[in-house]
Amino acid sequence: MRSLERRTWYIITNSLLGLWMLGAIAAVTAHRFLPHSTWLMVHVTMLGAVSTAILIWSQHFADTLTRRQAPGGRASLGIRLGLHTVGACTVGAGMLLGVMPVILSGTVLVAAAAVMHAITMTLQLRGALTSRFGPLVRFYAVSAVWLIVGVGLGFWMSQVPADDPLRARLFVAHVTVNLLGWVGTTVLGTVILFWPTVLHARMRPADGSRSPLVLTASILGIVLVLAGATADALPLVAVGAAVWLVALALVLFEGTRQMADAARLSYAGLSIGAALCWLAVCAVFLAAGIGSAPTWAIAVDRLAWIVQPFIAGFAVQIVLGALSYLLPVIMGRPNARKRSEAELDRGAVFRVATINAGIATYLLPVPSVVKVLLSLVVFAVFIAFLVLAVRAVVVGLRERKAEPAPATHAPGAQLRIGTKPEQAKPRRAVSGQLVTAASVVLLAVAGGIAVDPAAAGINTTGGSEVAATGETTTLEVTVDGMRFVPDVLEVPAGDRLVVEFTNTGTDVHDLTFANGVASQRLAPGESETIDVGVISDDMAGWCSVTGHRAMGMELSVVAVGALGESDEIAAHDHGDMADAGEAAAADLDFHLSPDAGFVPYDAALDPAPEGDVHEITLPVTERDVEVAPGVTQTLWMFDGTAPGPVLRGSVGDVFDVTLVNNGTMGHSIDFHAGTLAPDEPMRTIMPGESLEYSFTATRAGIWMYHCATMPMSSHIANGMFGAVIIDPPDLAPVDHEFVLVQSEFYLGEAGGTVDPDAVATQLPDIVAFNGYANQYRDVPLEAAAGDTVRFWVLDAGPNIASSFHVIGGQFHTVWKEGDYTLRDGGSTGVGGAQALDLAPAQGGFVELTFPEPGTYPFVSHYMSDAEKGATGAVHVTT
């Protein structure tokens, strides 16, 4: 029963690890649609999956090495796992929401779990019987201390502005302490004993004797890195990384000898061996590359190179390799263990070779499409492990039920250290699997070149025929405002161009080239290396974020020495290549009516809510919506509508607004209804961030609010506008109040976003009331004869004026921009008005009484605009 309980316990705890792995798979799969995608992929994998594996299995190894159960037993480990899991999830939620108190609470929970882990390891070691390998538990206690330091540095870094030099130093320290301290120290202590166990290799008497030196060197190395970050001394970081590398070298020296005694070739052994090689590569790069960087900012940029080999090459492989050995162990009985091992060893050589050849090829200067295909191949092989792991548990449990229990045996899940099986399995033939793995990687490379031959130096443009030189030109590109710096990249014809792109601006940007190679969209401070390919002709580059190219975010690549060199840099027209789909304007037919079931924007205006303080949350969303029958655009909206929600109050009211950016680029908000310095409340916030905007309404009017992020014209034209109505003190009651916000659409491709070039022409495709062409023509507003109706009208623009007119009606009251121009027929009592003229961002209201039943159209009397959708009607009944 005890054995069954132990086995069940390990299956349950490793199921938690499996959930984190699924989360990592989800983060990788959906990363282009997630805010803070790089951060999420790294932390779901490292803080989630890898750290959970460390907590579970370091405790198991400590129990085995000290030959006693930890204080508190499984309950203690369960508490640690719970604290860590909740803490890691809370940190992730805090990052997505941009709420610092949430991030802090998650950090505290993760640190609390690490403190418990360090204390548990220390107490367990002190009360243990003397054993040869018991002191290895010290590695686990020390690594937990490094986790505490690492998460503390991470939170501190999150509080430092991106442009503060301290942030770069904290970043280097945070990454080094977590990777080499928390993960690396755990692995060093485990591999000393676990590696020969996995290999079923014989332990020599001297093996493990250097473990105190290994631990001392690893601690000293990380302390030196921290000292370098504290003292602003990058060379000291290099020294610290080199000292830590000495600790790893001592472990690998023994491990290399033990490989010669390996009794069998398993996925566990191959995966762990490959992982240790990648760890060595990363440590060497940290010492030579990061430590030699001339500035901390460049050191941070270089750290990006370590991400893929450390996470995919080292961390993931070490976890999967360890699980491939340990999952069969918990089956207990020999036949059950063998069946589990057989499942996990399926295609072992092929899987390991494909993963590592794929990662190594990815790090070479290959075209971007090749990198994508290689990532998919490696990703698919990693996912295969989860399938095999489930199969291994199922067949192991099934075989265990059918297998009679032995008369005597060691405790169920205890790890047999340094022993050799009674019958060592012969090595499997590996040549076929190696050939298959090489073929898969080569197919990925060939497929990527076939998709994008230009990036591989194959000229398909019919332009200059330039032979590839075999040389690489690497250039740095940054952002200054709405400009690329530099904006001309001179490259010798035939050279491969590699661009180190860093977003030093204040908004989300990417860099797209005319041959289709593009970076991801990068938040401020993020960087990416772009392999543009072999340059044979002049080529354009631009930012594909809507409106940014129109504001000047363009650059040109000049192929120096190319034959037939042309003065025309851009082979494409000014429209973004990413937007080169069928224009939505081709689907416009203003005679069409919307489908049955269409629900128009509710123009009926409710009275101002009670109270003089109004708390509003406006989430920014992006969604494909219909703007005319059969015509869709992806609009950026406040709270899911365009126009955004109508806010209403009285003079003296306070509006506390929380803007939450759930979009994919920077957004902001500007309330014309308030007067305050715009520096902070109107600043642009990045995806996942939020801001508080509080203003007091001191003057009456119908005021516009809108996104103020540049290019402002595109943000407004793409749906980011709304109205705030502040009632004048003497506002008389009426039978009906309606609000109409006029705006313009400049259509991009079908389902796409606004065309910023069309915005610049000030010739809209659609002019609409409340965000949909002719919607109140097809679904009229309702009133009764003799009713007094008030129309609040706002011209949101962004470019053209409005002249609001009701056909068949006359206004007896006109209130424009804060005052009456006509009230109850004026001084004679019989005066009237026929139109309310408004420039962009102006507003007012008109009142009229419908004399008899019928249908009364209303239009913008700029008649060409009425013909583009600025029409509606009021259906008047008896």
Side-chain angles (χ1 to χ4, degrees):
M1 182 65 181
R2 288 183 58 196
S3 177
L4 177 62
E5 291 174 352
R6 179 181 290 113
R7 184 165 38 261
T8 303
W9 168 254
Y10 280 114
I11 291 174
I12 291 173
T13 53
N14 280 284
S15 296
L16 176 60
L17 173 57
L19 291 175
W20 276 114
M21 289 180 176
L22 290 174
I25 291 170
V28 172
T29 303
H31 73 279
R32 285 191 176 270
F33 310 102
L34 296 173
H36 307 292
S37 57
T38 301
W39 186 96
L40 277 175
M41 289 188 290
V42 170
H43 286 78
V44 171
T45 302
M46 300 302 298
L47 186 60
V50 173
S51 295
T52 298
I54 289 175
L55 289 172
I56 294 170
W57 290 106
S58 62
Q59 185 61 73
H60 171 74
F61 294 143
D63 293 346
T64 302
L65 294 170
T66 60
R67 300 174 185 175
R68 69 189 296 265
Q69 192 176 56
R74 295 177 190 169
S76 173
L77 179 56
I79 292 172
R80 279 174 273 158
L81 286 172
L83 286 172
H84 181 85
T85 302
V86 173
C89 291
T90 304
V91 169
M95 281 295 298
L96 291 175
L97 297 173
V99 181
M100 284 302 166
V102 176
I103 298 174
L104 176 59
S105 61
T107 302
V108 170
L109 290 174
V110 171
V115 169
M116 281 190 64
H117 195 65
I119 293 173
T120 301
M121 296 291 105
T122 302
L123 293 177
Q124 190 170 10
L125 182 61
R126 285 185 177 180
L129 297 174
T130 302
S131 66
R132 176 182 174 186
F133 296 105
L136 294 180
V137 177
R138 293 194 185 99
F139 284 80
Y140 303 145
V142 170
S143 68
V145 173
W146 289 134
L147 177 59
I148 299 166
V149 175
V151 296
L153 289 169
F155 181 77
W156 184 8
M157 182 178 65
S158 69
Q159 307 303 301
V160 178
D163 56 353
D164 191 328
L166 176 61
R167 186 181 177 93
R169 291 154 57 189
L170 290 172
F171 182 85
V172 172
H174 168 71
V175 170
T176 303
V177 168
N178 282 326
L179 299 190
L180 300 186
W182 166 235
V183 180
T185 303
T186 300
V187 169
L188 289 177
T190 302
V191 165
I192 289 173
L193 194 55
F194 189 59
W195 176 240
T197 303
V198 170
L199 296 176
H200 298 287
R202 179 175 59 86
M203 292 286 290
R204 295 176 172 84
D207 286 349
S209 61
R210 296 188 180 91
S211 61
L213 179 59
V214 171
L215 181 58
T216 301
S218 69
I219 294 173
L220 178 59
I222 297 172
V223 168
L224 288 172
V225 170
L226 290 174
T230 303
D232 194 10
L234 264 170
L236 200 55
V237 173
V239 174
V243 172
W244 196 93
L245 190 59
V246 170
L248 177 61
L250 292 172
V251 174
L252 293 179
F253 177 75
E254 288 185 357
T256 302
R257 290 189 304 147
Q258 291 158 352
M259 288 178 61
D261 297 332
R264 59 188 298 267
L265 196 62
S266 66
Y267 179 79
L270 292 171
S271 184
I272 294 172
L276 293 174
C277 291
W278 282 116
L279 178 59
V281 168
C282 293
V284 169
F285 185 82
L286 186 63
I290 307 303
S292 64
T295 67
W296 287 97
I298 294 176
V300 170
D301 290 340
R302 290 183 180 179
L303 271 176
W305 187 91
I306 291 180
V307 172
Q308 288 93 352
F310 191 93
I311 293 179
F314 165 63
V316 175
Q317 285 202 104
I318 200 86
V319 170
L320 300 191
L323 288 175
S324 294
Y325 178 83
L326 293 166
L327 285 178
V329 167
I330 67 175
M331 294 297 108
R333 297 176 185 173
N335 289 342
R337 176 173 178 170
K338 289 177 182 178
R339 288 292 305 278
S340 293
E341 287 176 344
E343 288 295 330
L344 288 163
D345 283 344
R346 286 179 181 269
V349 174
F350 164 76
R351 289 156 58 202
V352 173
T354 302
I355 289 170
N356 291 280
I359 295 172
T361 308
Y362 180 97
L363 296 174
L364 297 174
V366 295
S368 297
V369 177
V370 173
K371 290 180 181 288
V372 171
L373 292 177
L374 288 170
S375 299
L376 292 174
V377 168
V378 173
F379 191 49
V381 178
F382 279 145
I383 292 176
F385 170 82
L386 294 179
V387 178
L388 294 174
V390 172
R391 287 174 56 91
V393 171
V394 171
V395 299
L397 293 175
R398 185 184 302 142
E399 184 67 29
R400 180 179 175 80
K401 290 180 180 178
E403 183 180 356
T408 59
H409 56 81
Q414 286 293 328
L415 184 66
R416 294 187 292 275
I417 298 172
T419 60
K420 207 167 186 176
E422 294 179 2
Q423 291 184 344
K425 289 185 178 180
R427 295 180 183 271
R428 299 175 180 177
V430 299
S431 58
Q433 294 189 49
L434 288 173
V435 170
T436 305
S439 300
V440 169
V441 173
L442 288 174
L443 281 173
V445 174
I449 293 174
V451 171
D452 188 9
I458 301 174
N459 186 12
T460 61
T461 63
S464 304
E465 296 183 2
V466 177
T469 64
E471 301 294 326
T472 298
T473 296
T474 301
L475 300 174
E476 293 184 1
V477 174
T478 58
V479 175
D480 183 8
M482 282 289 176
R483 295 289 185 272
F484 289 115
V485 180
D487 58 5
V488 176
L489 307 180
E490 294 188 351
V491 183
D495 275 18
R496 176 178 295 279
L497 172 61
V498 174
V499 174
E500 301 285 351
F501 175 48
T502 302
N503 181 3
T504 53
T506 58
D507 199 354
V508 173
H509 297 296
D510 66 14
L511 179 51
T512 298
F513 290 91
N515 64 354
V517 175
S519 72
Q520 298 185 57
R521 290 192 173 183
L522 304 179
E526 292 186 338
S527 301
E528 183 175 335
T529 299
I530 311 169
D531 185 350
V532 184
V534 174
I535 303 302
S536 58
D537 289 289
D538 296 347
M539 181 167 50
W542 59 85
C543 177
S544 71
V545 175
T546 303
H548 288 193
R549 185 178 186 183
M551 292 190 67
M553 294 202 71
E554 296 181 300
L555 57 75
S556 56
V557 178
V558 177
V560 179
L563 297 176
E565 191 171 344
S566 171
D567 293 333
E568 184 179 357
I569 298 298
H572 296 69
D573 61 23
H574 194 65
D576 293 351
M577 183 175 179
D579 295 334
E582 182 180 353
D587 297 325
L588 274 175
D589 184 347
F590 292 111
H591 296 94
L592 294 177
S593 297
D595 294 337
F598 170 76
V599 177
Y601 186 100
D602 188 1
L605 183 62
D606 294 326
E610 296 292 333
D612 55 8
V613 176
H614 309 284
E615 295 184 353
I616 302 105
T617 298
L618 291 178
V620 174
T621 58
E622 299 177 7
R623 185 166 55 89
D624 187 25
V625 299
E626 193 173 61
V627 296
V631 179
T632 63
Q633 292 281 270
T634 298
L635 299 186
W636 312 324
M637 299 175 286
F638 293 113
D639 202 18
T641 63
V646 178
L647 311 182
R648 192 173 191 181
S650 302
V651 174
D653 285 5
V654 175
F655 291 79
D656 292 327
V657 181
T658 301
L659 179 70
V660 181
N661 188 355
N662 294 328
T664 59
M665 66 188 75
H667 291 295
S668 60
I669 196 164
D670 172 6
F671 284 97
H672 293 191
T675 56
L676 70 174
D679 306 63
E680 284 300 312
M682 298 182 196
R683 71 184 186 275
T684 296
I685 60 172
M686 293 300 104
E689 295 181 348
S690 62
L691 66 78
E692 303 295 327
Y693 191 130
S694 182
F695 67 89
T696 300
T698 57
R699 298 186 183 275
I702 174 168
W703 305 92
M704 183 177 176
Y705 69 86
H706 60 91
C707 181
T709 298
M710 299 301 288
M712 200 181 304
S713 59
S714 292
H715 282 253
I716 294 172
N718 208 54
M720 302 199 75
F721 57 88
V724 179
I725 295 176
I726 306 300
D727 294 335
D730 56 350
L731 188 65
V734 293
D735 297 301
H736 301 281
E737 286 188 286
F738 300 110
V739 61
L740 299 172
V741 181
Q742 179 179 308
S743 65
E744 306 141 29
F745 289 102
Y746 302 82
L747 302 178
E749 66 172 288
T753 56
V754 62
D755 181 350
D757 296 327
V759 175
T761 70
Q762 301 184 18
L763 298 173
D765 297 300
I766 296 173
V767 182
F769 291 123
N770 291 346
Y772 191 99
N774 298 321
Q775 61 180 318
Y776 304 115
R777 177 198 69 183
D778 299 299
V779 186
L781 305 176
E782 296 287 341
D787 286 350
T788 299
V789 177
R790 178 182 294 133
F791 286 98
W792 290 87
V793 185
L794 173 70
D795 183 359
N799 292 323
I800 63 175
S802 176
S803 177
F804 181 72
H805 171 69
V806 177
I807 299 174
Q810 295 177 339
F811 307 141
H812 59 71
T813 297
V814 178
W815 190 87
K816 175 185 174 183
E817 287 292 284
D819 202 359
Y820 291 95
T821 61
L822 178 68
R823 186 171 189 178
D824 294 330
S827 60
T828 65
V830 293
Q834 56 197 306
L836 173 62
D837 60 315
L838 300 171
Q842 285 189 328
F845 68 77
V846 293
E847 295 175 5
L848 76 163
T849 301
F850 294 103
E852 59 185 352
T855 299
Y856 295 77
F858 55 81
V859 297
S860 171
H861 222 286
Y862 287 89
M863 294 312 298
S864 62
D865 295 337
E867 293 161 2
K868 292 179 179 179
T871 64
V874 182
H875 179 228
V876 178
T877 59
T878 56

